[in-house]
């Protein structure tokens, strides 16, 4: 499903009205009717306060109020404006409500005594809000949020940026939101997602071709499509059909990261997985593997990679593997910087760069790292979390906090911009994880759980993405599928081991159930 900005949705709205000829008032009627229908379905007739702004969102709210009134609800409408401030559509709907005998009060500072124990319908601001909510409306929103009451927002919770999910001053915290046409980015990005509650998307008459236009470059990853991407397992298959993953990682005290990535690859369906670790760690690594194979790589004698291992890595890639997962636990120094640079430049197979691979990339000067990614011999997928993303976006350590805040403020634009500049596939890990490709397409992942906030979860994701590439999926499909499945493993693990007790190996153990959920349900 496409995901839009406020501007994109308003363009769809305008084209529907102007090019197709569906009147604005028809769209408003449908918006109000479907909003009321959701309320009628969930709640028996009761007291309702409908809070409206002076614009089209307020008009939607008045239509909803009218429908609820006709269904036996005791409705009061508060309009946060004076009569002269209403736009034409909102005024039209107000006149109808008045003729029906619905109580309508022009008042912007709503008190607790006004709301009492009513169900709240929030229609104060729509997707066009672009400045902080202040003064009396801010106080009204505080009053709405001050008690545990049922709140349904019309289109988007008032005070939430439709583009970034930011709280613009104050924002309504809804239990449910009924939006129209397509979900907005602010519904899916935090903190907006927290304020949205359960999201219902209703098409109120927008043409299919407008909602599925190629000019909308952001998508919500959905189960039906993810299910189609699972590599087939024909009855005549053997291990050579499902790819060979080389995991290059591990260092003194950190071999577990590489092993987690390798085991995740195996569980995701890889036919063969080899773990390449510094030679001085080979005995301890060998003792911990069963299905995986091992490759001793040249080191500096203390469990740290030597740049002399570059030729061995590239030779293995040339002759034996289909994808390299580079970085989990490998450490960071001048040698790892050289390894990352040379493997990216010369690998004949795709490279999934994670963890210390990303941190080694970040030690290069900014233009050097961009040049390295732009001139890579094969596709590169990078999987940074917010702090790692901040490192690769800047040469100045002193502004890391500022960078992290900016990234979280607009995760979609951050991932998209860097993917376009670097020509790498970017997986910006977080809540939600956003994937971007070099062509400007972005994908919001809906799966995941707080249980995944545990050491090694990122290494598991690296192994899963590498496995899907090794099994023959194109880098983009392998990446979005790996991300989606990774989130599912967290959700499933949380039901078994709990939010607090899940560890990375639990994610690996639930890769099989995640795949089964996708292909069998």
């Amino acid at each position: 499903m496409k995901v839009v900005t406020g501007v994109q949705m308003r363009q769809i709205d305008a084209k529907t009205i102007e090019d197709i000829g569906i009147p604005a008032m028809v769209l408003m009627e449908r918006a109000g009717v479907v909003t009321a229908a959701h309320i009628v379905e969930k709640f028996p007739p009761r007291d309702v306060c409908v809070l409206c702004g002076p614009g089209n969102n307020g008009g939607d709210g008045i239509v909803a109020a009218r429908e609820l009134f006709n269904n036996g609800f005791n409705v009061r409408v508060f309009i946060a404006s004076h009569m002269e401030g209403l736009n034409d559509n909102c005024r039209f709907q107000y006149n109808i409500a008045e003729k029906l005998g619905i109580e309508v009060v022009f008042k912007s500072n709503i008190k607790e005594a006004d709301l009492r124990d009513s169900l709240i319908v929030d229609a104060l601001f729509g997707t066009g809000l672009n400045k902080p909510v202040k003064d009396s409306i801010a106080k009204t929103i505080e009053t709405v949020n001050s008690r545990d009451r049922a709140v349904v927002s019309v289109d988007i919770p008032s005070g939430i940026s439709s583009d970034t999910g930011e709280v613009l001053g104050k924002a309504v915290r809804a239990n449910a939101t009924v939006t129209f046409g397509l979900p907005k980015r602010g519904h899916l990005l935090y903190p907006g997602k927290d304020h949205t509650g359960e999201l219902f998307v209703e098409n109120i008459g927008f043409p299919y071709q407008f909602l599925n236009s190629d000019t909308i470059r952001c998508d919500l990853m959905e189960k039906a499509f993810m299910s189609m991407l699972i590599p087939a397992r024909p009855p005549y298959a053997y291990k050579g059909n499902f790819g060979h993953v080389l995991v290059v990682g591990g260092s003194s005290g950190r071999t577990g990261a590489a092993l987690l990535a390798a085991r995740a690859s195996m569980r995701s369906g890889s036919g063969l997985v080899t773990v390449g670790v510094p030679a001085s760690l080979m005995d301890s690594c060998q003792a911990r593997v069963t299905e995986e194979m091992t490759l001793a790589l040249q080191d500096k004698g203390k469990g740290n990679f030597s740049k002399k291992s570059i030729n061995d890595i590239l030779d293995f890639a040339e002759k034996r593997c289909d994808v390299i997962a580079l970085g989990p636990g490998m450490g960071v120094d001048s040698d790892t910087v050289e390894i990352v640079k040379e493997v990216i430049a010369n690998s004949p197979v795709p490279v999934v760069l994670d963890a210390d691979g990303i941190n080694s990339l970040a030690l290069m000067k900014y233009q050097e790292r961009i040049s390295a990614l732009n001139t890579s011999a094969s596709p590169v997928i990078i999987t940074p979390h917010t702090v790692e993303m901040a490192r690769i976006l800047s040469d100045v350590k002193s502004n890391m906090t500022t960078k992290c805040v900016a990234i979280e403020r607009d995760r979609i634009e951050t991932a998209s911009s860097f993917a376009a500049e670097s020509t790498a596939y970017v997986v910006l890990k977080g809540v939600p994880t956003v994937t971007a490709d070099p062509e400007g397409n972005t994908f919001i992942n809906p799966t995941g759980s707080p249980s995944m906030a545990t050491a090694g979860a990122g290494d598991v994701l690296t192994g899963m993405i590498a496995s899907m590439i090794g099994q023959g999926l194109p880098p983009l499909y392998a990446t979005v599928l790996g991300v989606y499945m990774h989130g599912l493993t967290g959700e499933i693990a949380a039901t078994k081991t709990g939010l607090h007790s899940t560890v990375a190996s639990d994610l690996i153990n639930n890769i099989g159930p995640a795949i089964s959920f996708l292909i069998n349900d």
Side-chain angles (χ1 to χ4, degrees), residues 82-262:
H82 46 77
M83 174 72 76
E84 293 74 19
L86 305 185
N87 74 8
D88 291 343
N89 292 335
C90 191
R91 184 180 294 109
F92 183 89
Q93 297 297 348
Y94 160 73
N95 289 333
I96 295 174
E98 187 179 44
K99 291 174 183 177
L100 287 172
I102 297 173
E103 181 183 357
V104 180
V105 179
F106 288 87
K107 184 178 182 180
S108 58
N109 190 2
I110 310 300
K111 305 292 187 181
E112 185 62 47
D114 297 314
L115 300 180
R116 301 192 291 270
D117 293 323
S118 302
L119 165 71
I120 307 300
V121 178
D122 158 40
L124 291 167
F125 299 109
T127 60
L129 184 68
N130 57 13
K131 59 183 179 181
V133 178
K134 298 180 180 179
D135 304 325
S136 60
I137 303 296
K139 291 179 181 178
T140 292
I141 291 174
E142 287 180 345
T143 301
V144 170
N145 293 341
S146 65
R147 290 179 56 185
D148 183 18
R149 49 168 56 94
V151 180
V152 177
S153 286
V154 179
D155 209 9
I156 194 165
S158 294
I160 292 296
S161 165
S162 59
D163 294 351
T164 67
E166 288 179 272
V167 172
L168 299 175
K170 299 290 181 180
V172 168
R173 190 174 291 275
N175 302 100
T177 299
V178 183
T179 198
F180 314 119
L182 291 168
K184 286 68 182 176
R185 294 181 179 186
H187 293 134
L188 306 172
L189 301 174
Y190 283 87
K193 184 175 174 62
D194 238 2
H195 287 252
T196 297
E198 188 174 5
L199 181 64
F200 299 94
V201 182
E202 297 285 353
N203 185 0
I204 56 174
F206 301 112
Y208 174 86
Q209 62 267 34
F210 293 171
L211 299 181
N212 289 274
S213 171
D214 289 339
T215 62
I216 304 171
R217 308 297 291 275
C218 184
D219 283 82
L220 178 66
M221 293 150 62
E222 295 183 280
K223 179 186 174 184
F225 183 62
M226 294 299 108
S227 299
M228 294 168 58
L229 297 181
I230 299 291
R233 307 289 284 197
Y236 52 81
Y238 78 111
K239 63 186 179 184
N241 294 131
F242 302 116
H244 189 164
V245 176
L246 171 63
V247 178
V248 178
S251 57
S252 181
R254 303 176 68 191
T255 53
L259 293 172
L260 285 169

Side-chain angles (χ1 to χ4, degrees), residues 5 8 163-164 185 189 217-218 389 393 406-421 426 428 434-437 440-444:
T5 64
Q8 288 172 326
D163 294 351
T164 67
R185 294 181 179 186
L189 301 174
R217 308 297 291 275
C218 184
M389 191 78 232
L393 285 175
I407 290 167
E408 287 301 321
R409 184 175 293 128
D410 199 343
R411 299 177 62 77
I412 294 173
E413 181 58 31
T414 298
S416 178
S417 296
F418 191 76
E421 183 179 12
V426 176
L428 180 53
V434 175
T435 300
D437 71 10
N441 300 299
T442 53
F443 304 84
I444 300 174

Side-chain angles (χ1 to χ4, degrees), residues 193-487:
K193 184 175 174 62
D194 238 2
H195 287 252
T196 297
E198 188 174 5
L199 181 64
F200 299 94
V201 182
E202 297 285 353
N203 185 0
I204 56 174
F206 301 112
Y208 174 86
Q209 62 267 34
F210 293 171
L211 299 181
N212 289 274
S213 171
D214 289 339
T215 62
I216 304 171
R217 308 297 291 275
C218 184
D219 283 82
L220 178 66
M221 293 150 62
E222 295 183 280
K223 179 186 174 184
F225 183 62
M226 294 299 108
S227 299
M228 294 168 58
L229 297 181
I230 299 291
R233 307 289 284 197
Y236 52 81
Y238 78 111
K239 63 186 179 184
N241 294 131
F242 302 116
H244 189 164
V245 176
L246 171 63
V247 178
V248 178
S251 57
S252 181
R254 303 176 68 191
T255 53
L259 293 172
L260 285 169
R263 289 168 185 164
S265 290
M266 291 297 301
R267 283 292 185 191
S268 298
S270 294
L272 297 161
V273 176
T274 295
V275 188
V277 298
S280 58
L281 301 177
M282 182 51 59
D283 288 346
S284 62
C285 180
Q286 187 69 56
R288 297 173 64 189
V289 299
T290 49
E291 295 88 356
E292 304 86 1
M293 298 174 288
T294 56
L295 174 66
L297 295 169
Q298 295 188 60
D299 69 3
K300 292 183 282 192
K302 295 182 179 180
N304 295 312
F305 279 97
S306 166
K307 62 184 177 182
K308 294 178 182 178
S309 65
I310 293 171
N311 288 338
D312 292 335
I313 295 169
L314 293 175
D315 184 64
F316 193 94
E318 180 71 40
K319 297 176 181 177
R320 297 182 59 185
C321 76
D322 302 289
V323 58
I324 299 174
L326 177 62
M330 76 183 298
V332 181
D333 59 22
S334 58
D335 281 40
T336 64
V337 172
E338 195 67 23
I339 291 169
V340 167
K341 183 178 179 180
E342 291 301 315
V343 170
I344 288 175
N346 298 293
S347 174
V349 298
V351 177
V352 182
L353 191 67
D354 182 35
D356 285 340
I358 293 171
N359 293 328
S360 294
L361 182 73
L363 287 183
M364 304 177 194
K365 292 182 178 180
Y366 186 78
Q367 287 305 321
E368 185 181 3
R369 71 185 76 129
I370 294 297
S371 177
L373 293 170
N374 280 333
T375 58
S376 63
S378 300
V380 177
I381 299 91
I382 64 171
T383 62
H385 54 58
T386 300
V387 175
E388 291 167 343
M389 191 78 232
R391 289 178 186 140
I392 63 176
L393 285 175
S394 177
D395 287 320
V396 183
K397 293 184 179 180
S398 60
N399 68 356
M400 284 290 290
T401 299
T402 302
K403 281 284 185 186
C404 288
V405 170
I407 290 167
E408 287 301 321
R409 184 175 293 128
D410 199 343
R411 299 177 62 77
I412 294 173
E413 181 58 31
T414 298
S416 178
S417 296
F418 191 76
E421 183 179 12
S422 67
T423 66
Y425 296 85
V426 176
V427 178
L428 180 53
K429 295 183 292 194
V431 186
T433 293
V434 175
T435 300
D437 71 10
E439 284 70 46
N441 300 299
T442 53
F443 304 84
I444 300 174
N445 182 53
T447 62
S449 165
S451 66
M452 303 172 76
T454 184
D459 303 313
V460 173
L461 174 61
T462 297
M464 294 176 73
I465 293 172
S467 177
M468 294 304 162
I469 293 174
Q471 292 179 67
L473 289 183
L476 177 60
Y477 287 170
T479 300
V480 295
L481 178 59
V483 168
Y484 190 93
M485 284 176 45
H486 183 245

